[in-house]
Structures are given as structure tokens and as C-alpha cells.
Amino acid sequence: MAHPSRHTDLPALTDEEILDIARNTLAKEAEALQQMITYLDDGFIQSVRLIASCSGKVVITGIGKSAIIAQKIVATFNSTGTPAIFMHAADAIHGDLGMIQPEDVVIMLSKSGESPEIKVLLPLIKNFHTPVIAIVGNMQSSLARQADFVLNTTVSQEACPNNLAPTSSTTAQLAMGDALATALIRLKGFSAEDFAKFHPGGTLGKKLYLRVRDLSVHNAKPCVSPDSSIREVILEMTGGRLGITAVVHQDQLVGVITDGDLRRMMEKYEQFQQLRARDVMTIHPKTIHRDALAVEALQLMRQHNITQVVVLDSNGHYDGIIHLHDLIREGLI
């Protein structure tokens, strides 16, 4: 006996209706964020300054969907120089309160501000004499009334068609956490170099800390003199396997010869045995300092549609070659 389809009672939606639902959802959430801008007040300023001056850590807690948002804010804080940990509101009253110290700051997330776990937890935290910042969507709630500082994330309606599932409200909470984090970045002077220290892995980290010298050091340093023969040039380029060789005179870079230069030479000359490196080299090649970020070499290659860049040291002397393949291997492309 065939089983009836589980989807037989689903309403039929056209493709355009599905897109309209998505557009409406995004529009409602965008409207909620726009409204939040008007809520920002002195409480936000004081919250940022409190966190910045905290000698301990930031403990962020919530229940349900708010707990998930709390974990994201913790991750953002930690990656931008503000030590933070997550404490689940339900677990807090069963021993996890021990992670809170007097020098800490606690941020509590709740849409209603009346969740049973939040109402039980709040006075317990107050016993530690630890300041509490509320990110709350109900300004008349117990949480809003008892917190030291209140960040208003009230939304007029959820993006959910039934106005039930946390959608606009969790977006508002997440955005408020981002607003705190970005304000702290500026207030603390947290730099791209600092960010790289916390993100050593992955493409993001490599873009922020990987230097040209870290890649060029593994390559050959093909080099010929201006008087070198074309045979010598070809042998040097073949040995380096980079499709390029530097032309150096008295420790100074005077040009480069690439595969393209050799092709153009063969198109121009029937006989080239008498030619020297100076006759076919490209003068004023693109160069980069060995201490520059590798991503800067990538930008240079893209800007000039080239695949190799000559590397120079602090004295302007030839130091090697960085190749597009080096950047590809590191996942920078």
C-alpha cells in the first residue's frame, strides 16, 4: 500500500511568492535595525566604557535563542581583544555561577526580560556585586528594571509570518553585540595587526600576517648580469622555474627578463646568439619590499596583470622573487 505524500497538504507557492516572503523577512529585519539606531543613548556609551575598563572578563548569558546569540557575541569579543566567556542561564544556577568574579562584567540577553531562568539568575549575579548590562527587548521587564545598564533591542514584530519564531529580535540582539564590539575596537585601538594575532589560521589570518619574505625565501633567486648571453639567461630561468630572472649590476637591480620577453625577442630577431641580457630585459620592473604583506604583492600582480614581482631588501638590493603560485598555495586567492 502506497503511503500518501507528507507534502500533499502544503500550500502551493509560486516562485515569486517564495521570493516575496524572503524580501518581506529581510525588510522587516532591516526595519528593526533602523529602529534600534534611535534607541542608542547614554546607556550604550556607559556600557562600552565599562567593558573597556573591565580588569576581568565579560560573561555573556542567555536562554534559548538568546543563548545562541550570546555565544556569537562571545566569539566576536574574543577575536577583537575583549576577553569573554559564555554562561548558559539554565546551567548557571547549577554551579556555573562560579565562573563569575567581582572584576567581571555580565551581559544578559533576553527578548522578554521575564524568562524564569533570567529572573532567578539576575539577583544571584547581583550578589557578586558584578555590574550587569541587559540587552533586552522589553523595557518594562524585570531584567530592564534591575540591570545597571540597558541596551534596548525592542522590535515591533518578528519577521516570522506567525510573529512567533525569534527572527527580528535575535537579529537585533546580534547587531547590538556587533555595535558593542566595534565601538570597543576603536576605543581600545585594536589594530589589524592585533586581529592577526588572534586569527593565525585560515585565509583571513594569512592576509593579515603573512609577509612577502615568508614566501620568497623558499624560491630560487635567478640572477644574471647585463652582459649575460641569451643561453645563460635561458638556463638561469629554467633552473629557477619561476619564468623570470633578475638582471643585476653591482648589486643593483637594473631589469628583469621574463618568458614574455624571450617570446618577444624571438618574434623580433631571426638570430639572437649575439644578444645580451641588456638587449631584451624590461627596465623598471615592479618590485616590492620583503617585509610587505603578501596580500600587497597579490594586489600589485592584479593591478599590472603580472604573475611575478621582484623582492627587494631594505637597501634596495635584489632579494628574490614572489610568484602568483606562492599566493595560490597559501590560499590567498
Side-chain angles (χ1 to χ4, degrees):
M1 177 178 172
H3 293 284
S5 171
R6 294 186 302 168
H7 304 292
T8 54
D9 297 330
L10 291 178
L13 293 176
T14 65
D15 292 350
E16 189 58 33
E17 286 173 328
I18 291 173
L19 287 175
D20 282 342
I21 293 171
R23 294 185 187 110
N24 186 55
T25 298
L26 296 177
K28 285 182 178 178
E29 296 200 1
E31 181 183 347
L33 295 182
Q34 285 293 328
Q35 185 62 41
M36 277 178 56
I37 295 175
T38 67
Y39 297 156
L40 295 173
D41 57 14
D42 189 61
F44 182 85
I45 298 171
Q46 293 186 58
S47 296
V48 170
R49 295 196 182 281
L50 174 66
I51 296 170
S53 62
C54 173
S55 60
K57 60 190 177 295
V58 180
V59 181
I60 309 181
T61 186
I63 194 77
K65 303 298 187 294
S66 294
I68 297 172
I69 300 301
Q71 292 177 70
K72 165 57 174 65
I73 297 174
V74 165
T76 301
F77 275 26
N78 281 325
S79 68
T80 53
T82 299
I85 59 172
F86 170 70
M87 179 181 70
H88 197 282
D91 295 333
I93 59 176
H94 297 287
D96 281 4
L97 270 174
M99 68 177 64
I100 299 176
Q101 300 299 314
E103 63 272 16
D104 295 338
V105 172
V106 174
I107 300 178
M108 304 186 76
L109 279 72
S110 176
K111 177 188 176 182
S112 69
E114 297 290 351
S115 302
E117 296 85 354
I118 294 295
K119 293 175 72 173
V120 170
L121 180 58
L122 183 56
L124 298 175
I125 293 175
K126 286 288 198 176
N127 288 337
F128 287 88
H129 303 291
T130 302
V132 174
I133 299 170
I135 297 180
V136 63
N138 178 4
M139 295 300 285
Q140 308 306 317
S141 64
S142 300
L143 177 57
R145 290 195 306 269
Q146 297 180 56
D148 297 288
F149 304 102
V150 180
L151 305 180
N152 187 359
T153 53
T154 301
V155 298
S156 58
Q157 62 177 332
E158 297 287 4
C160 164
N162 299 317
N163 195 29
L164 293 174
T167 43
S168 299
S169 59
T170 47
T171 298
Q173 290 175 336
L174 184 60
M176 186 61 77
D178 287 343
L180 287 171
T182 52
L184 288 164
I185 288 172
R186 291 293 298 275
L187 185 60
K188 291 181 169 185
F190 190 81
S191 67
E193 289 73 20
D194 295 323
F195 193 83
K197 293 175 184 176
F198 298 129
H199 297 78
T203 301
L204 181 60
K206 288 180 179 180
K207 286 183 177 180
L208 292 169
Y209 78 84
L210 196 64
R211 303 285 171 177
V212 167
R213 63 175 182 267
D214 299 325
L215 302 180
S216 63
V217 70
H218 300 294
N219 293 333
K221 288 178 60 176
C223 177
V224 297
S225 75
D227 293 325
S228 295
S229 67
I230 297 303
R231 181 177 184 277
E232 291 171 326
V233 168
I234 293 173
L235 289 174
E236 186 70 7
M237 290 175 62
T238 303
R241 297 185 178 183
L242 294 169
I244 189 173
T245 183
V247 182
V248 176
H249 179 62
Q250 295 181 350
D251 292 331
Q252 294 298 314
L253 178 74
V254 295
V256 296
I257 300 175
T258 66
D259 289 337
D261 291 319
L262 292 181
R263 286 193 296 271
R264 286 184 288 273
M265 176 196 70
M266 296 180 70
E267 291 171 357
K268 184 176 180 180
Y269 299 100
E270 288 290 337
Q271 300 292 327
F272 44 83
Q273 288 83 354
Q274 79 283 3
L275 296 176
R276 293 292 178 255
R278 66 164 65 88
D279 300 318
V280 298
M281 71 182 185
T282 296
I283 60 174
H284 307 305
K286 304 305 175 187
T287 63
I288 194 166
H289 193 279
R290 68 189 305 272
D291 292 331
L293 289 172
V295 71
E296 294 178 38
L298 175 59
Q299 293 167 355
L300 193 62
M301 292 178 190
R302 285 174 169 167
Q303 181 181 352
H304 298 283
N305 195 29
I306 55 180
T307 58
Q308 314 102 330
V309 177
V310 178
V311 181
L312 302 180
D313 64 17
S314 298
N315 296 315
H317 297 158
Y318 174 54
D319 193 64
I321 301 290
I322 184 168
H323 196 285
L324 180 64
H325 292 164
D326 302 324
L327 304 172
I328 293 173
R329 277 195 300 271
E330 293 298 330
L332 295 180
I333 301 177

